[in-house]
């Protein structure tokens, strides 16, 4: 059976998605962005990947977050996106914010990793070919490189924008002092850092305690949160322990010893608060990140259209009472 042509839903901007200004820029990002870290590689079912991307755009999700080595295998998530760009999304390119990154292992040898100018330029050129794009909207330095001079990495980002390969640049997982250097360096060269991408959720609040979240806000830099559900912990999946087939049961990215009786007790207490808010634990966890203007967008992963739909619903209620916030903090820190 031949799939019918894709036409985006005419009501995609009236479906409930809301948008936030990214730092002190002119760019608006959807509260929910779709990340392609998993479930969009060449080991995954193409039709499922396609259906999730179509559903996301049809429901106002305009930002798609990729990296050079997303898959598996490396590069295959970008290839999947490139096929859909060519067959479905091409007429809507100007309605989308497409991001990619470089900084982690991508190819063999000394030039396929970290933050050298050679690696960043070569990686982005490869990414553009895989995605069938002339440019990306945001290009990130995926991680801080302690050996390459920061000036080299940052000047590469400046030149990437000036050569039209990206409209904006961002940094991901850079430490506090290096981030400030990056913000100052880029601003002085008229290519201000648009956004910081960091790990952030109700359990992992490292960007709060390190000052990185507040630093981005004070510098007029947007912030996008990844791993908002803490590898699936902040869902209903582990309310009764470790189910068969779950990420923790596979003991790969999420270790089974993480799901302790104490954690399960906390998750059930959080789930009670979520239920009182007429939300699932996952919906409340995403909403918690969007409760103020410090977080511009939350990057969600998804393995199905249903899961994606559940996540998108989190934007319906992002208001928390002071008593709810205090109760959540007491559970997490208790």
């Amino acid at each position: 059976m031949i799939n019918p042509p894709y036409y985006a839903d005419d009501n995609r901007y009236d479906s409930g998605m809301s948008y936030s200004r990214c730092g002190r820029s002119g760019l608006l990002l959807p509260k929910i962005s779709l990340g392609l870290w998993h479930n969009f590689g060449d080991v995954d079912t193409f039709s499922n990947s396609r259906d999730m991307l179509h559903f996301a755009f049809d429901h106002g999700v305009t930002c798609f977050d990729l990296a050079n080595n997303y898959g598996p295998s490396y590069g295959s998530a970008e290839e999947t996106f490139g096929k859909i760009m060519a067959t479905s999304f091409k007429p809507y390119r100007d309605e989308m914010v497409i991001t990619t990154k470089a900084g982690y292992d991508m190819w063999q040898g000394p030039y396929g990793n970290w933050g050298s100018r050679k690696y960043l330029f070569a990686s982005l050129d490869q990414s553009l070919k895989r995605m069938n794009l002339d440019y990306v909207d945001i290009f990130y330095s995926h991680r801080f490189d302690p050996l390459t001079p920061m000036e080299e990495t940052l000047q590469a980002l400046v030149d990437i924008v000036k050569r039209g390969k990206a409209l904006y640049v961002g940094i991901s997982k850079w430490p506090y002092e290096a981030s400030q250097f990056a913000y100052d360096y880029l601003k002085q060269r008229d290519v201000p850092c648009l956004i910081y991408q960091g790990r952030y959720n109700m359990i992992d609040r490292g960007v709060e305690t390190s000052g990185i979240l507040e630093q981005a806000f004070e510098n007029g830099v947007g912030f996008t949160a990844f791993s908002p559900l803490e590898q699936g912990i902040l869902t209903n999946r582990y309310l009764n322990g470790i189910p068969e087939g779950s990420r923790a049961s596979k003991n790969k990215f999420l270790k089974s010893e993480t799901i302790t009786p104490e954690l399960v007790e906390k998750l059930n207490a959080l789930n009670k608060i979520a239920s009182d808010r007429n939300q699932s634990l996952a919906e409340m966890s995403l909403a918690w990140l969007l409760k103020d203007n410090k977080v511009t967008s939350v990057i969600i992963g998804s393995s199905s259209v249903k899961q994606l739909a559940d996540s998108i619903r989190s934007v319906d209620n992002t208001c928390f009472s002071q008593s709810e916030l205090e109760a959540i903090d007491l559970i997490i820190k208790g």
Side-chain angles (χ1 to χ4, degrees):
M1 179 179 176
I2 298 176
N3 289 309
Y6 171 74
Y7 299 102
D9 193 314
D10 290 339
N11 297 314
R12 57 190 176 277
Y13 297 114
D14 300 314
S15 61
M17 183 56 63
S18 55
Y19 302 83
S20 297
R21 188 162 302 282
C22 191
R24 287 197 289 266
S25 78
L27 188 67
L28 297 173
L29 290 181
K31 294 283 191 180
I32 299 293
S33 298
L34 180 59
L36 280 72
W37 180 33
H38 291 303
N39 305 310
F40 294 86
D42 55 17
V43 301
D44 300 295
T45 303
F46 177 79
S47 60
N48 187 53
S49 301
R50 180 198 62 217
D51 291 348
M52 287 191 288
L53 285 164
H54 287 178
F55 183 90
F57 188 61
D58 284 343
H59 289 78
V61 175
T62 55
C63 182
F64 301 100
D65 182 80
L66 297 102
N68 56 0
N69 63 355
Y70 285 0
S73 58
Y74 287 178
S76 61
E78 290 183 329
E79 289 174 349
T80 295
F81 190 86
K83 290 176 184 176
I84 295 168
M85 175 55 65
T87 57
S88 300
F89 280 170
K90 188 175 181 179
Y92 308 102
R93 172 63 182 97
D94 292 338
E95 296 183 40
M96 296 178 177
V97 173
I98 302 168
T99 85
T100 196
K101 317 176 195 74
Y104 282 94
D105 170 54
M106 183 59 191
W107 63 82
Q108 290 184 327
Y111 315 121
N113 209 340
W114 294 103
S116 71
R117 180 182 181 89
K118 180 173 177 61
Y119 171 49
L120 296 181
F121 266 87
S123 177
L124 180 53
D125 283 343
Q126 293 175 21
S127 292
L128 292 174
K129 289 178 182 177
R130 283 191 290 267
M131 292 192 286
N132 288 307
L133 297 175
D134 296 323
Y135 68 94
V136 291
D137 296 278
I138 306 172
F139 182 64
Y140 287 93
S141 167
H142 205 171
R143 64 169 167 171
F144 175 69
D145 182 346
L147 299 179
T148 298
M150 284 188 285
E151 294 88 345
E152 177 175 338
T153 299
L154 295 169
Q155 188 61 44
L157 297 182
V158 170
D159 293 341
I160 280 168
V161 170
K162 292 189 174 180
R163 295 187 188 187
K165 295 175 181 288
L167 299 184
Y168 304 91
V169 293
I171 58 176
S172 177
K173 292 176 282 190
W174 280 45
Y176 184 91
E177 290 185 2
S179 295
Q180 191 59 57
F181 183 91
Y183 298 155
D184 294 339
Y185 186 99
L186 293 170
K187 183 177 181 181
Q188 289 164 9
R189 285 150 183 84
D190 298 323
V191 182
C193 184
L194 176 79
I195 195 162
Y196 185 106
Q197 186 173 129
R199 182 186 181 91
Y200 187 31
N201 56 62
M202 286 197 297
I203 294 174
D204 187 343
R205 306 191 188 187
V207 295
E208 285 183 8
T209 56
S210 66
I212 284 173
L213 183 64
E214 184 65 29
Q215 178 192 44
F217 184 74
E218 291 176 352
N219 280 272
V221 175
F223 184 95
T224 185
F226 71 86
S227 199
L229 302 180
E230 186 67 3
Q231 299 286 321
I233 289 176
L234 289 168
T235 68
N236 63 3
R237 183 164 296 179
Y238 301 103
L239 296 178
N240 298 302
I242 303 176
E244 188 66 30
S246 65
R247 187 172 292 184
S249 71
K250 297 175 183 176
N251 214 33
K252 190 177 180 183
F253 292 105
L254 177 62
K255 302 301 181 183
S256 58
E257 57 264 28
T258 304
I259 313 300
T260 63
E262 292 77 16
L263 177 61
V264 171
E265 184 178 349
K266 288 182 178 183
L267 294 177
N268 277 277
L270 291 171
N271 189 56
K272 174 63 169 61
I273 298 175
S275 179
D276 290 342
R277 290 170 49 85
N278 294 316
Q279 290 180 315
S280 68
L281 177 55
E283 289 169 8
M284 183 181 78
S285 299
L286 296 172
W288 181 88
L289 288 165
L290 296 168
K291 63 186 181 298
D292 56 40
N293 59 355
K294 297 284 179 65
V295 174
T296 312
S297 185
V298 175
I299 298 169
I300 60 167
S302 182
S303 60
S304 68
V305 167
K306 181 182 183 304
Q307 191 178 77
L308 179 57
D310 291 343
S311 295
I312 290 174
R313 277 201 300 271
S314 64
V315 302
D316 293 343
N317 180 14
T318 60
C319 296
F320 288 78
S321 68
Q322 188 60 36
S323 61
E324 286 175 329
L325 294 174
E326 290 172 356
I328 289 170
D329 287 349
L330 186 61
I331 292 166
I332 295 294
K333 298 173 183 178

